[in-house]
Each structure stands twice: as C-alpha cells, then as structure tokens.
C-alpha cells in the first residue's frame, strides 16, 4: 500500500509538472498586458514595468525562473494587489473555499446516499418517485437560483440566517445548502442505480437464504457494495465543488478564492491566474489518488498488496 | 419413513406486464428425513421457482404463491409464515446452495464473516465462537488451511472452493433440509464429482435431507434415492431412482433418458427432444408435454391426465397409462447401463 501511494505520488508530480508548464505557456499566449491603463503609459514606462516583473526576458528564461521559484515555494507577487505574494493570498482565501466545498460535499453526499438507498430499495414505488423528483429538481435548478430563494426565505422572510458574509455556522448554512443540493441530486441518482443493480445480485439471495433480516441484508450486503462506484465520483466532485463555488461565493459575499480568480483573469494577473489554476489542478490530481486509496479500502478485489490473487 | 417436507398443490404465478406466468402449477411432492430427492427437468420447468417458494424467497410482487398451496415443514405450513417467522426457518431449518458459486458470495466480505452471520443470528454465538465454528466448517468442506483462509475474500478462491464455501454457509446451522439448486452446473466435470462426493459425505454425517435440483441425470443417479420429473410447471412422474431409470412410464422421462449421452453405446449424434417447453403465460389445457410427445393422442391436448399409481412409490401423469390407451413400449434409446456420472 505504501509503495503504491509512493508510486502514485511520483506520477502525480509528473502530471502536476505538465500542468504547470501548460499553464505557464498558455499565460504567454494571453493577449494584452497586466498593467491597467497601459495606453496611458509611455513605452519607456511600460518597458520599465515589464523588465521590473521580468517580462522582457526570453520565455525559456522566464519559465526556468518560474519553476525554480515555484520549487522554493514562491509563486510570485500579484500584479493587481500591490505585489502581495500569491502564496499568502491563496493561503488566506483558499481555506474558506475549501471549508464551504467540504461542508457541501458532506451534506450532499450523506443526503444523496440516503436518498439513493431509499429509492433503490423501493424501486417503482412512491418513495422512489419522490426521491427521483428531488434529484431532478436538484440537478435542474442552478445553484444561484436556489441561493436567491434560500436568501429570500431564510434571511429576508424568516430572518433565521444572515443574508451574506462569512463566519461560523450561521453564515455557512445557506451557501452550504445551496451548493449541496446539486451534489445530493447527482449522488442520489448514482446510488439508486447501484442499489438496484446490487439488489439483483445472487449474493443478496444468499444473504436472505441465511435468514438475515431485510435490514441486515440491505445494510451489510447491499449498501457497501453499492457505495463502491459512488466513492469514485465523490472526490473529483469535491474538487469541482471546491473550485466551482464561484457564483455562490459572489452571491453570499464570501471571501473565498473563486471570485478573485475571475478578477485575475480580467486583469491579466499572470502569477495569480497560474497560482489558482495550479491549486485547482493539484486538488483534482490529489482527489484521484484519494479515489484509488478509498477503492482499495472498500473493495478487496482492488487491493494491490496483502492478497495472493 | 418420516415426512419432513410436504409440498401440496403448489401454484406460483408471476404477474408480469400484461401476462400472468404460471411458473409452478399444482406441484406435489414430499421429502423424507435424511433422504435425497432429485427434481429434474429442463430449463423453465419450474424447478428453481419451486425451491425458492420453499425458502419463501419468491419476490412479491411480481411473484405470488396462490391460495390453496401449502408447504408443510414438520407439519407447519410455511406459506402462512410471516417474513419474521421465515427468517427463523431460512438458514436454520432449511438452507440453500445456489447454482453459480462465482456470484453467490458477497465480494467485499471475508469468507469467515459470511459463514458467521447465520451462526450469530440463529444460534446466538459470540463472534469468537462463530469464528471457530466457521474454521471448523471450512475444514469440514475440505478447504485447506482454514485458519488462514477464513480471513480471505471470495476472489481469492477458485470456483470449486467457492462452492465448498457456499456449502459451508448452508450447513452452518445444521439445517434439516438442504435445497441444492443445480449445485454443480457451473463447475467443470472433475470438480463436479468432488462437490457431489462432499455433499454425500456431509449428508451421512449430518443426516440432512437434500432436495437436489438438476437437469443432469448423471448427478441424479449418483446422489438421489427418489426422483420427481418436472415439466411445464408440473410433476409429471415421480418414483424411486430404480423405477425412474429402469421402468420409466412417462414419455417425457423417456425423452430425458434418451437424450443422456451413453458411455458404452455407439452413437453418431446426441438425441434431443424436438420442440420447446410450453409458454407458461398461456399454458396448454391438457398435458404440457402433448405438443412434443411422439405418442400424443387427441385427449392429451385437451385434458390433463390424473396420476396413475404404478407402485407404492411410483406414479406418473400420462394418458398412455389409462386402460383404454394403446400399449406403447418405451424407446430402446432410454437404455441405462453402467456408470452415468462423468
């Protein structure tokens, strides 16, 4: 297992290096300059600025410098925020996005799995239809529409939660819910399909033939096997939710990473764009490793060590 | 002999979209303590549905055991049992072995745990006791190094070994009846013989009565004392093994015996019964075999024959046995001799 993780970590580093290179190269292809009101600057001033940021050097030199600095934990300074180090910026804002994303994933996955189980074991009955409806609604309504609805009822009408801002549980509840509903829907649909499939397997009949109660059969034999494929979608979804909460962060005025990312793109803030992109890439790559590790934990057939087969 | 199981007029209907499939139509048979009864017949004759009905594992809906059916286990009618009551019968009083050992075990649960579940549930054993018993059972069914293998997963076992595990699970609580639904069909021939030997040995040790469901007459000859031949959801002939093999009376039984490959006879090709089994969504009024029967008469298509008692142990449902019917001798191809088991 340790060897497997080390090997995979090696592959991950290679993947990440490729992403880093591609990000750097695509930055060089972006039109425009990072400097505001560049048209008002004289060519000399522009030139001075460019050479200050090292943008006049040949691209290979810039590239080697970027990679070298990156290895030493320096991702450069932001152009738009007075040269503030990108790393500081990410460290300050990313945890907030991460917290929100993880909240939503936990709520969404748990609800989704429960709904999926209920639907799967009641296939074709009203409970199945009910939970399928919830899933369809969850997939169909965009999170920002849901966010506005939640804000209207919970904040304006009933005044339970604050409209916007960031802080403890009270602030986190609504954005978490708004993000979680889509996750719930996807996980529920997936889980339902798997439950239906697993409940038709021969080993379920074997379990029943042992005289186990229906609850035991479902809980111990069906759910665990049905969850294996679900596990594969959750970590990449986490990466997507953590990075994709941009709209929600805007609506609830949450100082996360998402909204700043858009600003960086608009202003050609190269180090900032690269830093954020690389963070997202890293998150995704790590999530895939997590999938493989989880897979081995829940499915003995996937284990690379410990078994003879 | 003591009857332990008596199936009377069992009818099972599956309510499928736009049709009611009558999978089992008035099946009667009984099982004595400690004996092996073989139920033979081709695919779709209702063998497996009958066995699932005994276990109370017919999914409802779409399946339904109709009123008037009864399955008497030690005199108590299992048809009237609630789900909770059935849980106490399954695995404890009546167990089942399934056809395909590759899919019959939970892939994500250790072998030992799968054996232990029934012991903990039915005998209230502690985990440690159940584990020890599981190791004992694995040894009993002939799995080497049981102390080690008890903690392994199904994918680490071969097909034959898995079937041994399935048997261990079924026998865990010393059931009075073991239903084996084509236990060797999915295994290759050498392993088949091993599994059958094992089942016979275990039966000697435990005295469990076995209902052996199969379409392989070689297996029947090896294992059973009595045979019930099923066709089209009905038992068409039943008798002691010698009666069925040496003095069969029903043309379908003749067909089955003829279609069995013979070891010593020179044969250019295998004999088959032409045609296919009846559509049980719209079963024939008369004898289900009439359409394929070379001896069929007018009466056969319109009226189901009653059973004719041929001896204290053998009876068959065929119009040829009526005193008004012409005398027909069984075809020579049924000839059974030598060892039929591969």
């Amino acid at each position: 297992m340790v060897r497997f993780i080390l090997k995979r970590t090696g592959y991950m580093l290679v993947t990440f290096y490729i992403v880093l290179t591609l990000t750097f190269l695509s930055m060089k292809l972006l039109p425009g300059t990072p400097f505001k009101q560049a048209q008002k600057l004289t060519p000399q001033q522009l030139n001075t600025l460019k050479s200050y940021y090292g943008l006049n050097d040949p691209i290979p030199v810039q590239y080697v410098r970027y990679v070298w600095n990156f290895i030493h934990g320096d991702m450069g300074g932001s152009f738009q925020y007075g040269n503030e180090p990108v790393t500081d910026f990410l460290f300050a804002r990313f945890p907030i996005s991460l917290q929100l994303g993880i909240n939503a994933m936990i709520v969404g996955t748990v609800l989704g799995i429960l709904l999926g189980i209920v639907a799967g074991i009641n296939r074709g009955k009203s409970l199945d239809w009910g939970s399928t409806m919830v899933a369809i609604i969850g997939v169909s309504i965009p999170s920002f529409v849901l966010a506005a609805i939640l804000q209207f009822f919970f904040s304006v009408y009933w005044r339970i939660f604050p409209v916007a801002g960031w802080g403890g549980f009270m602030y986190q509840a609504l954005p978490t819910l708004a993000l979680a509903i889509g996750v719930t829907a996807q996980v529920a649909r997936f889980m339902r399909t798997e439950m239906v499939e697993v409940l038709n397997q021969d080993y379920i009949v074997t379990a029943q033939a042992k005289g186990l109660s229906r609850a035991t059969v479902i809980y111990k034999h069906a759910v665990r096997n049905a969850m294996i494929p679900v596990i594969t979608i959750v970590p990449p979804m986490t990466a997507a939710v953590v990075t994709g909460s941009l709209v929600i962060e805007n609506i609830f005025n949450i100082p996360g990473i998402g909204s700043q990312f858009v600003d960086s793109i608009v202003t050609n803030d190269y180090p900032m764009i690269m830093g954020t992109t690389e963070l997202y890439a890293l998150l995704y790559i790590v999530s895939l490793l997590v999938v493989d590790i989880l897979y081995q934990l829940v499915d003995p057939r996937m284990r690379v060590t410990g078994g003879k087969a | 002999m003591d009857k332990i199981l008596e199936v009377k007029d069992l009818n099972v209907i599956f309510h499928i979209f736009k049709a009611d499939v009558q999978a089992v139509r008035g099946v009667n048979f009984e099982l004595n303590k400690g004996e092996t009864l073989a139920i033979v017949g081709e695919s779709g004759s209702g063998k497996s549905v009958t066995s699932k009905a005994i276990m109370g594992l017919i999914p409802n809906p779409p399946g339904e055991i109709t009123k008037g059916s009864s399955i008497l286990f030690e005199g108590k009618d299992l048809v009237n049992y609630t789900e909770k009551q059935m849980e106490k019968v399954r695995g404890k009083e009546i167990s089942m072995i399934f056809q395909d050992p590759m899919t019959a075990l939970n892939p994500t649960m250790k072998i030992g745990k799968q054996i232990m579940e029934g012991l903990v549930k039915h005998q209230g054993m502690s985990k440690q006791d159940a584990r020890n018993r599981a190791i004992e059972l694995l040894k009993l069914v002939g799995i080497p190094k049981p102390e080690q293998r008890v903690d392994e997963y199904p994918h680490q076992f071969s097909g034959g070994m898995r079937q041994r595990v399935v048997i261990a699970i079924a026998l865990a609580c010393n059931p009075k009846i073991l239903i084996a639904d084509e236990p060797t069909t999915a295994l290759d021939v050498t392993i088949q013989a091993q599994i059958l030997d094992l089942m016979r040995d275990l039966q000697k040790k435990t005295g469990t009565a076995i209902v052996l469901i199969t379409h392989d007459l070689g297996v029947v000859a090896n294992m059973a004392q009595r045979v019930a031949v099923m066709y089209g959801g009905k038992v068409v002939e039943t008798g002691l093994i010698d009666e069925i093999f040496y003095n069969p009376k029903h043309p379908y039984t003749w067909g089955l015996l003829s279609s069995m490959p013979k070891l010593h006879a020179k044969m250019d090709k295998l004999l088959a019964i032409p045609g296919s089994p009846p559509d049980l969504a719209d079963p024939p009024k008369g004898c289900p075999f009439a359409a394929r029967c070379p001896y069929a008469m007018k009466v056969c298509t319109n009226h189901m024959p009653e059973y004719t008692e041929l001896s204290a142990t053998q009876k068959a449902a065929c119009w040829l046995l009526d005193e008004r019917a012409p005398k027909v001798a069984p075809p020579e191809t049924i000839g059974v001799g030598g060892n039929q088991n591969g």
Side-chain angles (χ1 to χ4, degrees), chain B residues 3 17 19 84 96 128 136 216 226 228 279 303 314 335-336:
Chain B
K3 281 179 202 164
F17 182 67
K84 275 273 161 257
M96 195 161 173
Q128 193 52 50
E136 216 173 87
D216 185 342
R226 286 197 306 121
D279 176 10
H303 300 281
Q314 185 181 16
V336 177

Side-chain angles (χ1 to χ4, degrees), chain A residues 288-307:
Chain A
L288 293 181
L289 175 70
V290 172
V291 171
D292 285 345
I293 293 173
L294 281 177
Y295 234 132
Q296 298 207 9
L297 289 179
V298 293
D299 191 345
R301 285 165 298 183
M302 303 294 288
R303 277 174 210 163
V304 281
T305 54

Side-chain angles (χ1 to χ4, degrees), chain B residues 63-78:
Chain B
E64 185 199 348
I65 296 176
T66 55
K67 275 196 184 132
S69 308
S70 64
I71 299 169
L72 299 175
F73 169 69
E74 295 184 325
K76 288 158 290 182
D77 195 346
L78 298 182

Side-chain angles (χ1 to χ4, degrees), chain A residues 151-174:
Chain A
Q151 281 177 324
F152 176 75
F153 283 105
F154 286 96
S155 309
V156 179
Y157 202 73
W158 294 321
R159 296 175 181 275
I160 301 171
F161 298 113
V163 176
W166 188 247
F169 172 78
M170 294 306 276
Y171 285 95
Q172 294 183 17
L174 290 189

Side-chain angles (χ1 to χ4, degrees), chain B residues 155-202:
Chain B
H155 71 276
Q156 292 163 291
F157 288 68
S158 68
M161 285 292 162
R162 284 192 213 188
Q163 194 62 305
R164 288 170 191 265
V165 172
V166 172
I167 292 173
I169 291 174
L171 292 179
C173 299
N174 292 319
K176 293 177 180 138
I177 301 174
L178 178 67
I179 300 172
D181 187 355
E182 310 221 10
T184 57
T185 305
L187 303 171
D188 66 56
V189 182
T190 48
I191 307 293
Q192 281 187 12
Q194 288 178 14
I195 294 291
L196 293 176
D197 283 348
L198 173 70
M199 285 176 60
R200 250 197 326 257
D201 276 4
L202 292 174

